[in-house]
Amino acid sequence: MKTTNLLISALAILFVFAGCTTINFKPQTNAVSVVVDLTDQFIAKPKPDEILSFLNSGKNIWDGRIFNLRYITNVSYNPMFEKKIEEQNELLGNRYDRPKKVKQYNDEVKEIIISSATKEDIGRDNSEVWFSIATELNQLSQSGADKKVLLVYSDLMENSKRMSFYANDTWNLLKSNPIEIKEYFDSLVKLGDLKGVMVYFIYQPKNTTDDENFRIASQLYKSMLEAKGATVHISANIN
């Protein structure tokens, strides 16, 4: 009987400990994608500390982190930069080595962001805005991460050979009947389920005309993304 009681007590302690580890030691994965428009010299540039704050939002060194950076240029397909560090259970990890790995990871991400800020702008000849953003969103939504954030640094002025917001007829159509623009974008890249994805459109207008253009273009994007379940923020900066 005494042995049985000891066994029951040991099992009870084990279950309590297991419950605690589930609460305290379960890591998550934070995914942050950044889309930077290189077609306009006035675009706000991403800041390393702001982006790292999203990647390290849980303040848990055991969390996984996925960072992606994609450019908007005058062509559809551009180089992508990705940095990833897997989540790890604290009970199985090395508490002395993990902080060093996370710091190294953060330094490498910071280096990529700084490099993106020094890229030379290529002007307004063409801007494949929708294709770049929608492609990155679909990839982000399928990442399996617990927290998903997309940061877009762009004026959102589509200027491809197929459609240009700088053409008067297209711009007037966008203001009067945006459903046609939405249908065209949807035929180009169809968005998947964006539930749980948080999107920030970041731009600092140069003047009142630029401000109005960005407001109209950003509302188009906002309505399309929210219809798929995303949460959308529009501002001149992240904070």
Side-chain angles (χ1 to χ4, degrees):
M1 180 64 71
K2 187 174 181 180
T3 303
T4 303
N5 289 338
L6 286 174
L7 180 59
I8 292 173
S9 298
L11 288 173
I13 292 172
L14 181 61
F15 284 133
V16 169
F17 181 73
C20 290
T21 57
T22 300
I23 295 172
N24 297 328
F25 298 107
K26 179 171 172 51
Q28 66 173 18
T29 295
N30 302 322
V32 178
S33 291
V34 178
V35 176
V36 181
D37 194 339
L38 296 183
T39 66
D40 188 338
Q41 60 182 338
F42 298 104
I43 299 296
K45 301 296 184 181
K47 298 178 181 178
D49 290 343
E50 291 179 343
I51 293 168
L52 287 174
S53 70
F54 283 104
L55 279 171
N56 301 309
S57 62
K59 297 182 179 179
N60 183 354
I61 61 169
W62 306 103
D63 283 348
R65 295 154 173 86
I66 303 171
F67 171 77
N68 283 294
L69 184 142
R70 182 190 301 267
Y71 294 125
I72 295 174
T73 70
N74 57 335
V75 296
S76 301
Y77 295 98
N78 294 283
M80 255 190 56
F81 302 87
E82 180 181 74
K83 279 290 176 184
K84 183 176 182 180
I85 182 170
E86 299 286 349
E87 65 181 49
Q88 193 172 22
N89 191 300
E90 182 176 353
L91 296 178
L92 304 176
N94 186 324
R95 66 179 58 195
Y96 300 103
D97 189 49
R98 180 70 177 186
K100 296 177 185 177
K101 289 184 176 180
V102 172
K103 183 183 183 305
Q104 180 182 352
Y105 173 83
N106 287 340
D107 288 343
E108 291 172 353
V109 169
K110 185 179 294 187
E111 205 51 46
I112 293 173
I113 298 168
I114 292 173
S115 175
S116 76
T118 60
K119 287 285 185 181
E120 184 178 353
D121 306 311
I122 62 175
R124 288 177 180 262
D125 290 343
N126 288 111
S127 256
E128 293 281 352
V129 179
W130 171 256
F131 185 92
S132 301
I133 293 175
T135 301
E136 188 60 39
L137 270 171
N138 283 337
Q139 178 174 308
L140 178 62
S141 67
Q142 296 168 15
S143 69
D146 300 282
K147 183 174 182 179
K148 305 170 187 178
V149 177
L150 174 68
L151 306 172
V152 180
Y153 296 82
S154 173
D155 61 2
L156 304 180
M157 293 294 286
E158 179 77 12
N159 190 24
S160 66
K161 291 183 178 180
R162 298 174 296 273
M163 173 178 289
S164 174
F165 285 178
Y166 295 102
N168 288 334
D169 55 346
T170 302
W171 190 246
N172 291 332
L173 181 64
L174 172 58
K175 292 190 290 185
S176 63
N177 189 18
I179 188 65
E180 290 191 32
I181 307 296
K182 292 178 182 180
E183 289 174 350
Y184 166 73
F185 278 165
D186 194 50
S187 69
L188 189 63
V189 181
K190 192 173 184 64
L191 288 174
D193 183 6
L194 301 181
K195 186 177 181 181
V197 179
M198 187 172 294
V199 181
Y200 290 81
F201 290 122
I202 304 157
Y203 182 66
Q204 298 173 4
K206 304 180 290 292
N207 49 49
T208 55
T209 301
D210 197 36
D211 181 63
E212 181 182 6
N213 290 346
F214 177 66
R215 179 179 56 79
I216 294 170
S218 62
Q219 287 302 317
L220 170 72
Y221 276 74
K222 179 180 172 70
S223 64
M224 292 188 70
L225 272 52
E226 287 184 339
K228 293 295 183 176
T231 301
V232 179
H233 303 272
I234 302 169
S235 62
N237 50 52
I238 293 177
N239 297 324

